[in-house]
Amino acid sequence: MHRTESVGMFDTVLIANRGEIACRVIATLRRLGIRSVAVYSDADAGSRHVALADVAVRIGPAPAAQSYLDIDAVLDAARATGAQAIHPGYGFLAENAAFAQACADAGIVFIGPTADAIRTMGDKITAKLAVAERDVPTVPGIARPGLGDAELIAAAPGIGYPLLIKPSAGGGGKGMHVVEDEAHLADAIAAARREAAASFGDDALFLERYLTTPRHIEVQILADAHGHVVHLGERECSLQRRHQKVIEEAPSPLLDAATRAAIGAAACETARSVDYRGAGTVEFIVEAARPGEFFFMEMNTRLQVEHPVTEQVTGLDLVEQQLLIAAGHALGFAQDDVELRGHSIEARVYAEDPASGFLPTGGRVQRVIHPEGEGIRVDTAIADGLDVSIDYDPMLAKIIAHGADRDEARRRLVRALDRTAVFGFPTNVEFVRALLELPEVIAGDLDTDLIARRFDDLAFAEADARVFAEAALLLDAARDAGTATASAPWTRRDGWRLGAPAPRRYALVCGARRTEVLVTGAGSGLSVAVDGSEPVSAAAAPETPQSSERTLTIDGVTRTIAAFATGSDRVAIAHGGAVFDVAVERVSHAAGGAAETKPHLDSPMPGTVVLVHASEGARVEEGDPVLVVEAMKMEHVLRAGVAGTVSLHATQGDTVARGQTLATITPDADDAASDTPDEPQETT
């Protein structure tokens, strides 16, 4: 018998989502004794949310349109498993009014608002009109259905420049244009209409005043079917990249108590304007110089990615509150009962490479290390051995830290990111850690353009002498592990011989840097010398079972790192959020002793070959496009690094891995003769 039967709760709930949010919802269902049903595509058959759920149902192939966005498939899974309710998570069908209505028609509870509320708030123009009737402040501008180009142009002088052109449908910054003066307005409107039509199938536009130093502040609300609406304080989400949130926190360092009460009341009125039910978020924009003046932007009619920071400062489980409201319960507390305790900050971990323009990555997770400690929470869907698919959003995990105040929470999060490592492909961990150490972030002086302004000032660590020394010690220890430990000198690898011990030489490469490290001795008598420097003492603590952390002492300085051997001659070292992949260098030679020179084009990200410009055997010039790879709606053109003849290793439609060679260019005879074998060819 389920615990839920005695409190009027659901017996079985299906999660119409994947990844970390599916795992997050399952955790609450398990705590409440509710049977969980996961759905999955072919790409997610081995995923963590499938393993955690009580029941898992396949709903289609990898493309989201044929699986997670297939309303009929999701409803069929709910019927087949006896699910009484569906939790949509976020993304996919979470804000799809047709899905909410289909659930209602099927007699299955949609854990969220009504289809009418989703429909009204899903259109930015109708949403602005609805909240304006409740005296919720909106950004000055013009917003009504059917505005033509001439009407938009005529209204612009009254709004004032700079102004912002926004599509009525959609989100994520698509179709948004900032216009500085009248001369560029007509062209920007035309471009915005084209982009909105292509992205959302709707080219309706409206205009707003553009705030020069905007801060993005959102308010979490809960509303039940009995007329009760409360807010749970605000979240600051101003640290964004291309309109996508990177770091979120609660409460905002900008607002005082009076403004917090006012913006919370406005959020509650927004919810009342559409008879809202469930958990929702009302988003506001605030000019940094005038924190008491806030304007409604939109309402997200679902749970937000950043909901854990609100949970940490309120002590409430928002998924549990969603379940209770959907089951017909009244809120168990009033506004005066909500108390914000301490501060919480969240960093999103993505499968992307910030040092390479945030290109998406992904692939096999060889090893993942999640941080632990006081005030630390990790919401994740990844584990050792799982494959991160290019078919879906690249978010891997969320690292959340709570502290007595903002500074303690921030410092705890920095330390947690130091102890976070994903081996197998690049992530943004080092980037978000560096972001948290910017003086503006430390001071709470935030705005939505801060990352764009300061990105070039963020330093990404490069492998230094210490990293190469550590790699050599780890490789040396790994090779010793397979040898005998008897005292016979021919079974030992400590360089024993008559006279001084012989050093072991490691020619190592990490990225573009090559280094030679000499390791001498054994046990407590180790020494290392990097690039011909004087040898210094070294010691490696024994490897601990069930742990990827190693403590190494070099020249009297001790450092604990995360390390993972990715082959007999390759080791990855993680420290300070950065991961260094260090390998024993191998030099390939062609017949006759000449170095082989065939510049190759490697895929910079896992994805799909969507276009092949050059045919097999064709001649190309330096800079000519050869192939185009697409992943997560981002295209990357691979161009010839030298003039020569093309040999293709992939065709249009192929799914390729990051680093996979897609084409080889055999240089022209004159170019080949002048190439330096040891100098790698660059690809674009």
Side-chain angles (χ1 to χ4, degrees):
M1 177 179 294
H2 291 295
R3 224 184 78 185
T4 54
E5 292 180 355
S6 62
V7 294
M9 183 61 82
F10 305 112
D11 178 77
T12 301
V13 172
L14 181 143
I15 304 102
N17 218 293
R18 62 178 300 279
E20 60 87 21
I21 184 55
C23 297
R24 160 71 189 92
V25 174
I26 290 170
T28 293
L29 295 177
R30 179 174 293 175
R31 180 173 63 81
L32 297 177
I34 300 173
R35 179 170 170 260
S36 60
V37 178
V39 294
Y40 65 92
S41 71
D42 291 341
D44 281 338
S47 293
R48 185 167 178 261
H49 77 280
V50 173
L52 289 176
D54 295 309
V55 180
V57 180
R58 177 191 177 275
I59 54 172
Q66 301 172 45
S67 51
Y68 296 107
L69 292 173
D70 187 334
I71 293 175
D72 290 337
V74 173
L75 290 177
D76 286 345
R79 295 187 190 97
T81 56
Q84 301 148 318
I86 294 177
H87 194 299
Y90 39 70
F92 294 134
L93 297 170
E95 293 180 284
N96 187 307
F99 180 56
Q101 188 61 57
C103 289
D105 294 343
I108 298 171
V109 175
F110 177 76
I111 301 176
T114 64
D116 287 341
I118 295 174
R119 196 173 294 112
T120 299
M121 287 299 169
D123 184 292
K124 292 182 177 63
I125 291 177
T126 59
K128 288 188 71 170
L129 296 175
V131 303
E133 293 182 359
R134 290 271 179 168
D135 295 324
V136 175
T138 59
V139 180
I142 180 172
R144 62 174 182 267
L147 286 169
D149 290 5
E151 292 173 289
L152 293 171
I153 292 171
I159 299 169
Y161 293 92
L163 56 77
L164 184 64
I165 304 172
K166 297 177 73 172
S168 179
K174 295 182 177 66
M176 291 172 55
H177 288 260
V178 177
V179 182
E180 300 286 348
D181 53 60
E182 185 179 0
H184 297 94
L185 181 59
D187 288 344
I189 289 173
R193 286 205 191 277
R194 288 193 302 270
E195 293 165 14
S199 298
F200 316 121
D202 183 349
D203 69 354
L205 303 175
F206 63 100
L207 302 182
E208 287 183 347
R209 179 200 298 171
Y210 180 70
L211 305 184
T212 54
T213 53
R215 294 181 71 143
H216 183 130
I217 295 178
E218 62 188 30
V219 180
Q220 177 72 58
I221 63 97
L222 291 173
D224 62 26
H226 305 276
H228 306 121
V229 183
V230 300
H231 72 84
L232 305 180
E234 82 286 354
R235 298 186 286 255
E236 173 97 41
C237 305
S238 297
L239 287 174
Q240 301 181 5
R241 187 182 67 79
R242 298 174 188 166
H243 302 286
Q244 296 296 322
K245 301 166 189 173
V246 177
I247 291 174
E248 305 99 342
E249 59 184 296
S252 167
L254 179 68
L255 304 188
D256 57 22
T259 306
R260 178 169 295 114
I263 200 170
C268 290
E269 286 304 308
T270 299
R272 293 187 182 101
S273 73
V274 288
D275 191 23
Y276 196 84
R277 296 178 188 178
T281 300
V282 184
E283 302 195 351
F284 296 90
I285 192 165
V286 182
E287 183 71 63
R290 295 188 294 274
E293 188 178 63
F294 53 85
F295 304 106
F296 170 84
M297 282 201 305
E298 62 182 349
M299 184 176 190
N300 293 124
T301 53
R302 54 172 169 79
L303 199 65
Q304 292 280 86
V305 173
E306 56 273 20
H307 75 274
V309 296
T310 297
E311 293 185 324
Q312 285 198 323
V313 297
T314 62
L316 293 170
D317 181 330
L318 294 186
V319 174
E320 180 179 8
Q321 294 300 316
Q322 287 184 296
L323 293 165
L324 288 167
I325 292 168
H329 291 251
L331 287 174
F333 54 91
Q335 187 65 63
D336 290 342
D337 298 321
V338 177
E339 180 183 357
L340 306 184
R341 295 179 294 276
H343 202 95
S344 178
I345 309 179
E346 171 184 292
R348 303 187 186 192
V349 178
Y350 283 104
E352 62 185 14
D353 187 357
S356 300
F358 293 93
L359 286 175
T361 57
R364 175 64 57 88
V365 179
Q366 296 171 326
R367 178 73 59 80
V368 59
I369 300 173
H370 294 306
E372 298 177 346
E374 187 174 357
I376 300 302
R377 166 177 165 177
V378 179
D379 284 14
T380 185
I382 61 171
D384 295 354
L386 290 184
D387 291 314
V388 175
S389 171
I390 63 170
D391 296 294
Y392 313 115
D393 186 272
M395 191 171 72
L396 304 174
K398 301 177 303 194
I399 314 297
I400 311 106
H402 182 261
D405 54 31
R406 185 175 186 270
D407 188 56
E408 183 176 66
R410 187 195 63 81
R411 286 187 284 106
R412 283 180 171 174
L413 182 55
V414 169
R415 298 286 81 79
L417 291 168
D418 280 344
R419 302 191 302 273
T420 300
V422 179
F423 296 109
F425 48 81
T427 70
N428 71 329
V429 172
E430 184 186 13
F431 163 68
V432 291
R433 186 203 181 281
L435 195 59
L436 287 164
E437 296 280 58
L438 281 177
E440 296 94 329
V441 176
I442 293 173
D445 184 15
L446 315 174
D447 65 77
T448 57
D449 294 324
L450 178 62
I451 292 178
R453 287 197 311 272
R454 294 298 307 276
F455 178 78
D456 290 340
D457 299 326
L458 298 177
F460 296 102
E462 296 182 358
D464 56 13
R466 170 92 195 201
V467 168
F468 281 108
E470 290 170 341
L473 289 171
L474 293 171
L475 290 168
D476 199 66
R479 292 182 180 184
D480 270 345
T483 64
T485 58
S487 60
W490 50 84
T491 64
R492 289 153 47 191
R493 298 192 64 257
D494 59 358
W496 182 92
R497 63 179 178 179
L498 291 175
R504 277 99 60 199
R505 174 183 176 274
Y506 291 90
L508 302 177
V509 59
C510 181
R513 183 174 175 184
R514 291 165 171 78
T515 298
E516 181 178 272
V517 183
L518 301 181
V519 180
T520 307
S524 59
L526 284 169
S527 68
V528 293
V530 180
D531 277 343
S533 64
E534 286 295 318
V536 297
S537 64
E543 187 172 3
T544 304
Q546 308 302 323
S547 173
S548 295
E549 290 192 337
R550 297 293 300 274
T551 299
L552 304 175
T553 301
I554 299 174
D555 198 17
V557 178
T558 299
R559 186 166 82 167
T560 299
I561 61 172
F564 178 69
T566 56
S568 60
D569 293 323
R570 184 181 294 270
V571 64
I573 293 173
H575 181 75
V579 176
F580 306 97
D581 191 8
V582 186
V584 175
E585 185 175 17
R586 298 184 182 279
V587 180
S588 176
H589 295 280
E596 187 178 18
T597 308
K598 288 189 177 181
H600 52 272
L601 302 182
D602 297 339
S603 179
M605 56 189 181
T608 303
V609 177
V610 295
L611 189 61
V612 179
H613 287 284
S615 57
E616 177 71 24
R619 188 184 179 284
V620 293
E621 297 292 338
E622 181 179 352
D624 283 354
V626 179
L627 307 101
V628 179
V629 177
E630 180 192 56
M632 300 171 188
K633 300 181 180 178
M634 177 184 294
E635 290 189 353
H636 191 84
V637 181
L638 277 69
R639 300 179 183 274
V642 295
T645 304
V646 175
S647 177
L648 294 172
H649 307 304
T651 60
Q652 186 171 328
D654 284 356
T655 299
V656 298
R658 183 176 187 270
Q660 181 178 334
T661 298
L662 307 185
T664 303
I665 313 295
T666 302
D668 295 338
D670 291 343
D671 292 337
S674 63
D675 279 342
T676 302
D678 291 334
E679 185 170 290
Q681 298 293 324
E682 293 185 358
T683 60
T684 302

